[in-house]
Amino acid sequence: MMKRLISILFLTLAVTSSCDKEEDPDMSISSAFIGEAPDHSLIVRYALDFDYPEWIQDIILEITNSPDEKLVYLDIFSGLGNSETLLGKTVYFIIYRDKPDKGIAYWEDGQIIDLSDPVRLTDFTENTIMWRKIFDIERYIPLDRTFFTKGVSYEPQSDYPNWLQSRIDETDLPDFPYNGMSIFKGEWKQQTVYLVSYASGCSFCSLFDAAGNVINLSSDEEIRNFSAFSKNWICIFRFDVNYYFYTSDYYYAPYEPVDSLPEWVFPLIDKTPFHPAAIMKVFQCEWRERTVYMIHSPNSYSSVYNLVFFENGEHIVWESIGEMRLYVFLRDSKNWKKIYDSTIQDEMPEPITDS
């Protein structure tokens, strides 16, 4: 009795296991007919001149984004049907690396071509032409979020859409809140797109279609998709800030020593915390109808604009975003002069007290 129960148990497990292993029918066919399909000579970042159907993009992204290292890689070929049966359509053939001798044929819309009929199979293998490899996983180039904008040509336009021109006009405002802005024009999903890239901030937060509507890339997968399959990028507008153009305004400012300085300045130019040979300098200018002091000390030489203050001692902090950005200060400040230089003066000026 016990042996019979054990036999029944093993039989049940075998049936269950057999059910678990049931798979879709194998639709793969021999890849021998494709011969040595030549590598597509322009496979660079997914062949810039090839428009992949979305279903192929999904397959590629599923593999390239998968954390599973055992996921099977593939090659993709494109060919042209050359018979009445194949209707002269573009067809695709995908070969997975775990089955290099077989592949699966697809119509343009992603439907598998049923080649179970021997006559149709022969028609397909003998009457498809112009095969070329359009994707090779080993030639896949990992992309960062701004790969597609690197090294593109600069081609400024003679005119811009009104909605885009309004953004360009903002760079002329004295309080434009960024240290730079570039506008790129490209193609994605067979439409023109624009990317407005600021010197700081989100890389893809300002992506628009041709009408100026925002395109939201809400996930890393969508960003990856956009980076991989957008193409034909050019830079059509560029606004860059170069601080060095303005350093001469203070560096060559005339030396006009003063008899007194605000009291809050002295702890900043006291040599004692540093060393007796330290070079201490104080510059003065006008900005936004206020007096501004800039102090150079051994701690500020590496970043000379760290110690900038209004006349009341309020520290001006330069932020990458905001109206107090450094570029605006350097561009709009005026009447620079050097009012204290420890290499020239033996004594410091007197402090100006509140009284």
Side-chain angles (χ1 to χ4, degrees), residues 34-40 77 131-133:
I34 207 169
E36 294 295 330
D39 283 353
H40 182 19
F77 296 84
W131 284 104
R132 59 179 181 172
K133 184 186 292 186

Side-chain angles (χ1 to χ4, degrees), residues 222-279:
E222 288 183 345
I223 291 174
R224 183 80 175 182
N225 188 313
F226 178 81
S227 298
F229 298 108
S230 59
K231 62 179 185 176
N232 296 335
W233 286 100
I234 59 173
C235 180
I236 61 174
F237 176 80
R238 182 182 295 154
F239 168 73
D240 294 318
V241 173
N242 190 338
Y243 296 143
Y244 297 105
F245 291 159
Y246 302 94
T247 55
S248 60
D249 289 350
Y250 80 87
Y251 189 80
Y252 296 105
Y255 175 51
E256 299 180 12
V258 294
D259 295 331
S260 58
L261 287 171
E263 192 171 20
W264 58 263
V265 171
F266 288 88
L268 298 173
I269 62 175
D270 183 5
K271 294 184 180 183
T272 304
F274 310 108
H275 51 83
I279 300 173

Side-chain angles (χ1 to χ4, degrees), residues 181-201:
M181 184 180 81
S182 297
I183 300 177
F184 298 90
K185 180 181 178 181
E187 296 177 26
W188 187 47
K189 293 185 176 180
Q190 300 181 340
Q191 65 173 327
T192 299
V193 292
Y194 295 90
L195 177 69
V196 182
S197 177
Y198 296 98
S200 55

